[in-house]
Amino acid sequence: MISDENEKKVGKNEMLYADLCLCYLSLRNNCWTELLTICMQCLLKVALKKEESEEVQKEVEMALLTLSDIEYYNVERELFLDEIKEIIIYHQEHRNLTQLAYQSAWGFLTNRLFNDENLEEVIVNDLHFVREARREMEELMKYVYWKREKEERGKEGKEEIILSKWLQNLGKFLFFSRLRNEEYSVLVKSIVLAFRSAKDNYRDICSQCVESFSYSVINKNVKVEDLLKRGAVSLILEEICRPTLNDFVTYESLEFFVKISKKLKEEEEDEMEEAKRKGSKRKAFEKIEEEGYEDIIICFHERFDFLNRDRFGVLSLCISDYFVNV
């Protein structure tokens, strides 16, 4: 049906065509590449609509939300880049999209980093992703009801859902990122704020925040001293010190320290870089020592086997793996 509508030269039912493409991409298991391209171009055309009516806004939102779910398919940039740039830039100037639609436009674009690392420069320098992500997240956090009563927990509102989607975007972006940009350091502060706000009632959001920190360490796009300065290290130490531990956040917090330790042990040829590295190690060590991190980890020994089974991972029983060795 999609192919038939696509091939019509006259008399094409545009609404039916768009609905068919929405259904196909939403229900797909594996996409036929040619059909994926046809559907993607159809929905990008819908998303480019500029009318401000509620009906058109809903069409645009559904088109972008569906596109954002196309993750690791290889799509040539000439098939989408001009259109998605136009959508994002127009919104930055006119604020015509809903919060979900705007997040979804970015979600579609950051998913393309999996197959095209060169997109990062466009995302950061031309479209100002970091600035926009910070602004959107901080705006959403104003409207999340963070202090839910016990019986209300687990009932997410739209702001929490969109905030969680932004954090997913950031995690993917930091995972695939290869550039180093000073803006990324400021982004850490916003993620810290999201974690602190969510820590009592929204543990999935906390988990996403820790993942973002870990990805930034792995790919070296945020310096360890920035994680210290912006409060990420202190935040995760506080999490480990909580009297009631949450298993998946605990596991990811421990992994975060393993990654920092490995990064700070890496050898640097440049003497100035080596001096900076030693300074960062000393600061991290002092912070860990101050918080009593060593005693806490020793107390975790009995839990490691459970955490490994629960998270299908391997946390070492070797205490030194969890410390920054100066």
Side-chain angles (χ1 to χ4, degrees):
M1 291 173 72
I2 290 170
S3 297
D4 290 345
E5 284 296 323
N6 181 57
E7 289 169 7
K8 287 182 181 178
K9 302 300 180 185
V10 293
K12 183 184 292 188
N13 185 332
E14 297 289 351
M15 184 172 292
L16 172 63
Y17 184 39
D19 283 346
L20 289 170
C21 291
L22 281 169
C23 288
Y24 176 71
L25 292 182
S26 298
L27 298 173
R28 76 197 187 286
N29 183 12
N30 290 301
C31 277
W32 176 32
T33 303
E34 184 179 344
L35 204 53
L36 168 65
T37 301
I38 290 170
C39 291
M40 186 188 71
Q41 291 177 316
C42 170
L43 296 186
L44 282 170
K45 184 178 177 181
V46 173
L48 280 164
K49 291 182 179 181
K50 305 293 195 302
E51 296 94 325
E52 295 184 2
S53 69
E54 186 176 342
E55 182 180 353
V56 169
Q57 270 205 332
K58 187 58 66 177
E59 289 177 24
V60 170
E61 183 178 84
M62 281 300 300
L64 288 170
L65 181 61
T66 304
L67 286 168
S68 72
D69 194 39
I70 303 173
E71 291 193 300
Y72 302 127
Y73 291 95
N74 189 9
V75 182
E76 297 297 326
R77 63 161 64 187
E78 57 266 23
L79 297 176
F80 67 85
L81 189 57
D82 289 344
E83 290 85 350
I84 205 72
K85 282 178 69 175
E86 181 181 339
I87 290 165
I88 289 172
I89 290 171
Y90 188 85
H91 174 76
Q92 289 173 351
E93 294 173 353
H94 301 281
R95 299 295 165 193
N96 65 306
L97 298 176
T98 64
Q99 288 176 311
L100 179 58
Y102 189 46
Q103 182 282 320
S104 298
W106 278 114
F108 171 76
L109 189 54
T110 53
N111 281 337
R112 310 278 71 78
L113 277 170
F114 175 72
N115 292 301
D116 188 354
E117 291 178 0
N118 295 325
L119 271 177
E120 184 178 356
E121 193 165 330
V122 175
I123 289 170
V124 175
N125 297 328
D126 295 350
L127 298 176
H128 313 291
F129 171 67
V130 177
R131 180 196 70 191
E132 292 296 296
R134 286 183 58 226
R135 187 187 59 76
E136 289 288 315
M137 283 172 53
E138 289 173 9
E139 184 66 22
L140 284 163
M141 282 188 272
K142 294 177 185 176
Y143 299 101
V144 174
Y145 179 37
W146 297 113
K147 302 296 183 184
R148 291 186 183 276
E149 298 297 329
K150 188 173 182 180
E151 59 272 13
E152 296 178 304
R153 293 176 189 175
K155 299 177 182 178
E156 291 181 311
K158 68 175 184 178
E159 289 84 6
E160 297 97 289
I161 292 170
I162 302 171
L163 176 61
S164 180
K165 285 179 172 290
W166 271 110
L167 287 165
Q168 289 173 19
N169 279 9
L170 287 171
K172 290 175 184 175
F173 172 75
L174 291 169
F175 184 81
F176 294 118
S177 171
R178 292 296 178 267
L179 301 178
R180 178 174 284 178
N181 190 305
E182 292 302 319
E183 282 189 310
Y184 299 173
S185 168
V186 185
L187 185 60
V188 170
K189 185 177 180 182
S190 297
I191 300 173
V192 167
L193 178 60
F195 188 111
R196 288 199 180 281
S197 300
K199 65 181 181 180
D200 292 329
N201 293 320
Y202 297 95
R203 303 299 291 168
D204 287 344
I205 288 178
C206 295
S207 178
Q208 291 173 319
C209 293
V210 180
E211 279 191 347
S212 294
F213 296 145
S214 291
Y215 292 151
S216 71
V217 172
I218 293 169
N219 284 330
K220 306 179 185 178
N221 42 30
V222 177
K223 299 176 183 177
V224 173
E225 50 261 44
D226 290 331
L227 292 167
L228 283 161
K229 182 171 66 175
R230 301 292 181 182
V233 174
S234 296
L235 179 75
I236 296 179
L237 284 169
E238 289 173 22
E239 175 62 29
I240 292 173
C241 290
R242 284 165 64 96
T244 304
L245 296 170
N246 181 290
D247 295 325
F248 63 85
V249 181
T250 302
Y251 185 93
E252 287 159 357
S253 298
L254 292 169
E255 277 202 315
F256 169 75
F257 282 109
V258 171
K259 290 179 173 68
I260 282 189
S261 182
K262 287 179 179 177
K263 180 176 179 181
L264 291 177
K265 290 178 190 175
E266 292 173 358
E267 293 184 358
E268 296 281 357
E269 294 181 4
D270 185 279
E271 289 185 6
M272 289 184 65
E273 288 298 318
E274 176 67 12
K276 288 181 183 177
R277 186 172 66 90
K278 287 184 176 179
S280 296
K281 287 169 73 174
R282 170 55 62 186
K283 289 178 185 176
F285 182 80
E286 288 173 353
K287 188 68 185 175
I288 286 169
E289 194 175 50
E290 177 186 329
E291 298 290 343
Y293 183 53
E294 182 174 359
D295 294 336
I296 295 164
I297 297 299
I298 290 170
C299 293
F300 280 168
H301 261 214
E302 293 180 4
R303 293 174 52 83
F304 280 4
D305 283 342
F306 171 75
L307 289 169
N308 284 334
R309 290 195 303 272
D310 186 52
R311 302 296 294 166
F312 302 104
V314 181
L315 285 171
S316 172
L317 285 171
C318 181
I319 283 291
S320 63
D321 287 351
Y322 298 90
F323 302 127
V324 180
N325 297 306
V326 180

